[in-house]
Amino acid sequence: MARKILVVDDEESIVKIIEYNLKKEGYEVLRALDGEEGYKLAVEGKPDLILLDIMMPKMDGYEVCKKVREKSDVPIIMLTARAEEVDKVVGLELGADDYVTKPFGNRELMARVKAHLRRNDVHKEQETMTSENSDKFGDIVIDFDRYEVYKRGEVIYLTVREFELLKFLATQKNQIFSREALLEKVWGYEYFGDVRAVDVTIRRLREKVEDDPGRPKYIITKRGFGYYFTV
């Protein structure tokens, strides 16, 4: 069955180009020209991945991303004509997995689509497995096979990227990693972004696993060096 990609952008010419190239790769395409329709299709159409513009009528991409994340962990790649760092960081803060700045090449966009679909496939496969591989760190339990994290017995919702970062740091306990090293080890060479993505994901992780994100006891910053996990 063809994978389903939702394209949400108010510029119809861009939507048509993306749709053409996605269909050439064998994907089924859903399309929306405003945020409200995009959100509706994201919920009802159950896409495997969303390409989401930021500046749109009725509901901007940030709001769509935020609302989708309340219901789904579908991979979201933000599309933006802006080059400012703040736009990229806001998207990542709201739960986007990646971003592409317009104009972008078709080869680059297709590479990102395939990379995020592969990553999500691994996540789903692991979720269906019976797990005997977990570890406890203080009041946090990480189930490495089922991609689940529990805090005092309660499940914590993490995106795939957040889980992979937490898993990597926890299995390399007390070792300090620079942002560049984490970008290479966790994001991989298919990621085209920059080290700010690491800072954003660390911040989101702390908000979910730490009792006091401002005074973390698990995910620690070593100033001038990077981050490490401790108990």
Side-chain angles (χ1 to χ4, degrees), residues 50 64-76 92-97 120 123-124 127 140-142 146-164 166 201-210 219:
I50 301 173
V64 175
C65 181
K66 181 180 178 182
K67 290 170 71 69
V68 168
R69 272 291 167 261
E70 293 171 355
K71 298 178 178 291
S72 171
D73 62 354
V74 60
I76 298 175
L92 293 169
E93 287 276 14
L94 293 173
D97 297 277
N120 207 47
H123 184 196
K124 289 181 178 179
E127 282 184 332
I140 301 293
V141 174
I142 303 177
R146 295 184 63 83
Y147 273 56
E148 290 180 347
V149 178
Y150 302 85
K151 182 176 180 179
R152 302 188 186 102
E154 297 291 326
V155 176
I156 300 173
Y157 169 75
L158 300 180
T159 66
V160 177
R161 191 77 74 183
E162 290 164 358
F163 180 88
E164 289 183 339
L166 179 62
T201 309
I202 289 286
R203 185 158 59 248
R204 286 169 56 85
L205 261 179
R206 283 174 172 163
E207 289 171 354
K208 296 178 179 182
V209 304
E210 302 282 2
I219 306 168

Side-chain angles (χ1 to χ4, degrees), residues 3-17:
R3 311 305 294 275
K4 191 184 301 181
I5 312 296
L6 171 60
V7 183
V8 189
D9 195 309
D10 62 333
E11 296 184 60
E12 189 167 9
S13 60
I14 291 178
V15 173
K16 287 181 177 179
I17 292 171

Side-chain angles (χ1 to χ4, degrees), residues 81-145:
R82 298 183 178 184
E84 288 87 349
E85 188 69 21
V86 65
D87 296 318
K88 301 171 182 177
V89 172
V90 169
L92 293 169
E93 287 276 14
L94 293 173
D97 297 277
D98 201 351
Y99 55 82
V100 184
T101 303
K102 301 175 184 176
F104 47 80
N106 173 61
R107 182 176 297 179
E108 176 188 357
L109 184 62
M110 292 303 111
R112 298 199 196 193
V113 167
K114 292 174 183 177
H116 285 286
L117 287 174
R118 282 197 304 270
R119 191 178 296 273
N120 207 47
D121 285 344
V122 171
H123 184 196
K124 289 181 178 179
E125 287 173 7
Q126 296 284 8
E127 282 184 332
T128 63
M129 296 173 62
T130 300
S131 174
E132 297 179 355
N133 183 21
S134 63
D135 209 344
K136 191 173 189 298
F137 306 90
D139 54 14
I140 301 293
V141 174
I142 303 177
D143 188 324
F144 298 109
D145 289 338

